[in-house]
Amino acid sequence: MTATNLHLYVMAVPLLSAFAVNLFGRRYRAAIGPVAVSALGFSTIAALLTLLRVLQQGGYRYTVGNWQPPYGIELVIDPLSALMLLLISAVALTAAIGALKSTEQELPGREHLFFTLYLILVAGLLGLVMTGDAFNLYVLLEITSITTYGLIAMGGGRAPLASFNYIIMGSIGACFYLLGVGYLYILTGTLNMADIASILPGLESHAAMATAFGFMLVGLWVKMAFFPLHNWLPNAYSLAPTGAGMMIAPLMTKVTVYLMIRVMFSIFSPEYTFFAHSGVQAGIVWVAALAILCASALALAQRNLRRMLTYILVAEVGYMVGGVWLANTTGMTGAVLHIVNDALMTLCLFLAAAAIVYRTGSLEFDKLRGLYRRMPLTMAAFTVGAFSMIGVPPTCGFFSKWYLILGAVEAGHWEFVVALVLSSLINAVLFFRIIEIAYFQKPEQAAAGGLLAGEAPLLLLKPLLVAAVALLAVGIGSGPLVSQVIRLALPSGMVP
Amino acid sequence: MNQLLTEIVAKYNYWLYVVLMMIGFYAMIGKRNLVKKLLGMNIFQTAIILFYVSTGVKRGAKIPIVDKYAALSQGVDPGQIINPLPHVLMLTAIVVSVSVTGVALAILVRIYRRYGTLEEDEILEKIRS
């Protein structure tokens, strides 16, 4: 194992251990957890080393199997993708530890299948952030999607139906992306992102370039559930098995936002993205502002904790897309920081929801009464996550929101500022409503559930507390994180 | 009108793919039967495969199987062979499409076992009641 291909091991270890889990998991049930967790732990450490190396020595390109680009598939490890590698592997590791208990309860006898899909999904996500090839990106996107369809369909009740709707929408998204790649291929005759980027300047007048750009972006928006295209997400994510939701919800949308950044800046240039078509940039910021407001309003109407969280997730996608499309460095910094923060916040809240559902079996608001007394640690972590979603300093949610608002002011997009502030207020209402129910209202029948329901098992509680501490740590460390990592991670050529 | 007609005839492969794609798209969005939606998805994907493959075609060119020694000594005239790369890409896309269809069919089996029907309206009715 040499240091040059450390990033490959980040992806290969979860992938190979997925096969091991599938082959031997049925017989050696006790080994599933340790294998999965140690594979993801290895990935996390390797990703951390990769990030440190990239920060010291700068980004690098790696050709798999020594097929030289533009014909071979190239992996690009720059600060942004190294940061994403670390984020994905760390979140997946934390969620996997939490998922051990949830799957044991919800999917008895099917843990090996669950963790097989889980590990392949993580490998797919890790591959997505590294690839420097537009077609390879499509294939990896479908690998992550297919595993996600399977994971969601493992849930009970209406989950298969939700998963089927997701398949239809997800396939439309992927096909649109593929069409966009097709137009680029017709124009340039290559699929390597850097190669396309070097050929494209000068071709701006061709309609095919605008068509490719439009198809790719709309395809990715469907995949990330950007507001008018979000219909599939709330059902799919709230009906998925708890263990799957914990990992899919924090990572899938965030990675797709990262892909959008890649398409906008690594394939097309910032000048083309923002200025070639007048009105597009401002229009998308408007749609993002609308997305934030509508999704927040829809979250208000929910009476189930996990469903409410999924609508907040849709609103957060609006934050990030809007931030990227503000077309200035501050907004972009905010968007990238928010990718990190939102992954951690969603992880924390979904883990808290998993802990609650493990003990009480329900996430309806009425059933949350008196939870602070019964599960004080879980609810403390939940409160940290909620404060971060609202944007209370020193939790990390505050800092990315601050950057986003500054960026919007700088760009003169006041509608985006209004949407951000209003959405914070709505989040405050949403979470204080839950805190009020869980803290002040007495449980209905204290005798029935009160004695049974204590804290969640340690295996579920520990990752939750780690996630909550991470929210505070990332919040307090925001300054160095932005100046030393995210500034470097911004795409080059970004308009200052 | 005449101009439009020449345009269509000159690039009929692209028009064909657009028509196929719209048929698939309509079935995915408009039909209420889940199997028909899935079939629509397949037509949609096939349209894209057709689009890719047709981009590799050149007039009067042959299939890209050449004699190795002739190619090594004299080189290959790219005008004489069709571009094989889109075909190879579409092999991967077909694999993806088959796997998605497989997963979708497995999920449809589960839905059918649970609700006894694949009509979306009837399923929603059963969920409500």
Side-chain angles (χ1 to χ4, degrees):
Chain A
M1 188 188 299
T2 58
T4 35
N5 42 22
L6 200 57
H7 55 275
L8 265 188
Y9 293 100
V10 175
M11 182 183 143
V13 170
L15 186 62
L16 294 178
S17 54
F19 292 107
V21 166
N22 192 22
L23 282 177
F24 306 113
R26 190 192 292 270
R27 190 161 304 162
Y28 308 102
R29 206 158 287 286
I32 299 174
V35 169
V37 169
S38 53
L40 292 169
F42 175 86
S43 282
T44 312
I45 295 168
L48 184 65
L49 292 177
T50 310
L51 177 64
L52 290 177
R53 173 156 179 251
V54 168
L55 288 180
Q56 278 165 3
Q57 303 171 5
Y60 55 96
R61 292 166 177 279
Y62 181 91
T63 47
V64 183
N66 212 14
W67 284 84
Q68 288 308 311
Y71 308 108
I73 289 171
E74 193 181 36
L75 300 182
V76 179
I77 317 292
D78 57 6
L80 185 57
S81 52
L83 179 69
M84 289 299 292
L85 281 182
L86 179 61
L87 180 73
I88 291 168
S89 46
V91 168
L93 172 65
T94 322
I97 298 172
L100 287 175
K101 276 286 162 195
S102 298
T103 44
E104 195 181 282
Q105 189 191 38
E106 282 176 25
L107 305 164
R110 290 197 286 163
E111 292 105 326
H112 60 293
L113 301 174
F114 175 87
F115 278 103
T116 307
L117 287 178
Y118 187 101
L119 288 167
I120 298 177
L121 173 53
V122 176
L125 289 171
L126 291 167
L128 266 181
V129 297
M130 284 193 288
T131 185
D133 186 280
F135 188 79
N136 190 231
L137 196 153
Y138 162 77
V139 175
L140 286 165
L141 197 63
E142 281 304 81
I143 289 176
T144 55
S145 297
I146 291 170
T147 44
T148 314
Y149 305 148
L151 280 174
I152 289 170
M154 285 177 107
R158 280 155 49 210
L161 194 60
S163 176
F164 186 79
N165 285 333
Y166 181 22
I167 290 182
I168 297 290
M169 286 308 282
S171 298
I172 295 179
C175 286
F176 274 13
Y177 175 82
L178 186 59
L179 261 181
V181 174
Y183 280 107
L184 279 185
Y185 180 71
I186 295 178
L187 262 182
T188 63
T190 173
L191 292 164
N192 183 290
M193 287 186 190
D195 209 26
I196 296 175
S198 70
I199 296 175
L200 275 184
L203 296 171
E204 281 90 352
S205 57
H206 283 259
M209 186 161 165
T211 317
F213 188 62
F215 269 126
M216 286 167 108
L217 275 191
V218 173
L220 290 177
W221 284 341
V222 173
K223 286 269 183 195
M224 74 173 80
F226 187 45
F227 166 65
L229 311 165
H230 70 285
N231 266 346
W232 56 268
L233 187 139
N235 268 332
Y237 284 12
S238 60
L239 295 170
T242 315
M246 271 175 337
M247 199 267 278
I248 298 171
L251 289 180
M252 279 300 271
T253 51
K254 259 55 76 179
V255 170
T256 326
V257 172
Y258 164 87
L259 294 180
M260 182 185 76
I261 295 177
R262 263 284 123 94
V263 167
M264 284 164 67
F265 302 114
S266 294
I267 299 182
F268 298 89
S269 62
E271 294 79 30
Y272 180 81
T273 304
F274 294 132
F275 306 115
H277 309 286
S278 58
V280 168
Q281 181 255 337
I284 291 173
V285 177
W286 269 99
V287 175
L290 255 179
I292 296 171
L293 286 179
C294 294
S296 298
L298 283 169
L300 267 178
Q302 305 307 319
R303 300 293 300 161
N304 178 304
L305 178 59
R306 228 167 118 192
R307 243 184 124 65
M308 184 190 94
L309 290 179
T310 57
Y311 277 100
I312 294 179
L313 201 61
V314 176
E316 302 285 322
V317 172
Y319 282 38
M320 288 174 277
V321 175
V324 172
W325 278 89
L326 283 173
N328 59 34
T329 321
T330 322
M332 189 70 202
T333 312
V336 175
L337 186 60
H338 203 72
I339 289 179
V340 177
N341 291 349
D342 192 42
L344 295 175
M345 296 191 289
T346 320
L347 174 70
C348 179
L349 288 171
F350 270 77
L351 275 169
I356 296 170
V357 85
Y358 187 85
R359 276 299 178 218
T360 65
S362 167
L363 287 169
E364 300 298 322
F365 285 174
D366 302 335
K367 301 279 167 57
L368 300 178
R369 292 194 177 116
L371 266 187
Y372 272 87
R373 205 154 303 164
R374 295 190 331 218
M375 310 175 78
L377 284 174
T378 307
M379 289 313 282
F382 177 81
T383 315
V384 175
F387 278 7
S388 185
M389 269 300 178
I390 299 167
V392 181
T395 52
C396 61
F398 168 75
F399 296 95
S400 48
K401 222 172 246 188
W402 181 246
Y403 274 107
L404 288 173
I405 291 180
L406 280 184
V409 171
E410 210 175 287
H413 279 288
W414 295 99
E415 75 280 359
F416 196 61
V417 179
V418 171
L420 284 172
V421 172
L422 271 180
S423 138
S424 291
L425 282 179
I426 295 176
N427 277 351
V429 172
L430 286 170
F431 284 111
F432 277 110
R433 191 168 61 171
I434 291 173
I435 291 171
E436 196 248 4
I437 293 171
Y439 194 85
F440 291 108
Q441 294 186 14
K442 292 268 181 309
E444 273 170 0
Q445 330 96 321
L451 287 175
L452 278 171
E455 276 296 352
L458 268 185
L459 215 49
L460 196 46
L461 199 59
K462 273 184 198 159
L464 173 60
L465 294 178
V466 168
V469 171
L471 286 181
L472 292 169
V474 171
I476 292 166
S478 274
L481 182 66
V482 167
S483 63
Q484 284 171 20
V485 184
I486 292 180
R487 287 279 175 203
L488 295 175
L490 291 187
S492 57
M494 187 71 208
V495 202
Chain B
M1 189 63 210
N2 235 344
Q3 211 176 356
L4 184 70
L5 213 64
T6 16
E7 178 85 345
I8 291 177
V9 172
K11 294 179 180 164
Y12 69 95
N13 53 337
Y14 295 116
W15 288 99
L16 215 61
Y17 113 78
V18 169
V19 169
L20 258 185
M21 205 172 117
M22 286 303 119
I23 293 172
F25 201 62
Y26 165 73
M28 273 156 110
I29 304 292
K31 292 285 174 190
R32 305 297 291 167
N33 182 305
L34 298 182
V35 178
K36 284 184 184 165
K37 280 188 177 206
L38 185 62
L39 285 174
M41 191 180 92
N42 273 321
I43 296 173
F44 195 82
Q45 286 166 333
T46 312
I48 292 175
I49 292 171
L50 196 68
F51 163 67
Y52 263 84
V53 168
S54 69
T55 62
V57 176
K58 292 169 195 160
R59 190 156 294 155
K62 292 202 275 298
I63 51 166
I65 299 175
V66 290
D67 183 6
K68 181 183 168 191
Y69 298 104
L72 281 177
S73 59
Q74 294 151 24
V76 180
D77 177 14
Q80 287 302 305
I81 54 166
I82 59 173
N83 185 356
L85 189 65
H87 297 69
V88 181
L89 293 178
M90 283 309 104
L91 275 182
T92 319
I94 289 168
V95 171
V96 168
S97 131
V98 166
S99 357
V100 174
T101 312
V103 173
L105 283 173
I107 289 171
L108 282 184
V109 169
R110 277 198 62 190
I111 293 176
Y112 187 77
R113 274 195 201 137
R114 192 179 166 83
Y115 299 104
T117 172
L118 287 172
E119 296 290 334
E120 206 175 11
D121 300 327
E122 290 173 26
I123 293 173
L124 291 178
E125 216 165 84
K126 283 195 178 166
I127 287 172
R128 255 184 237 115
S129 59

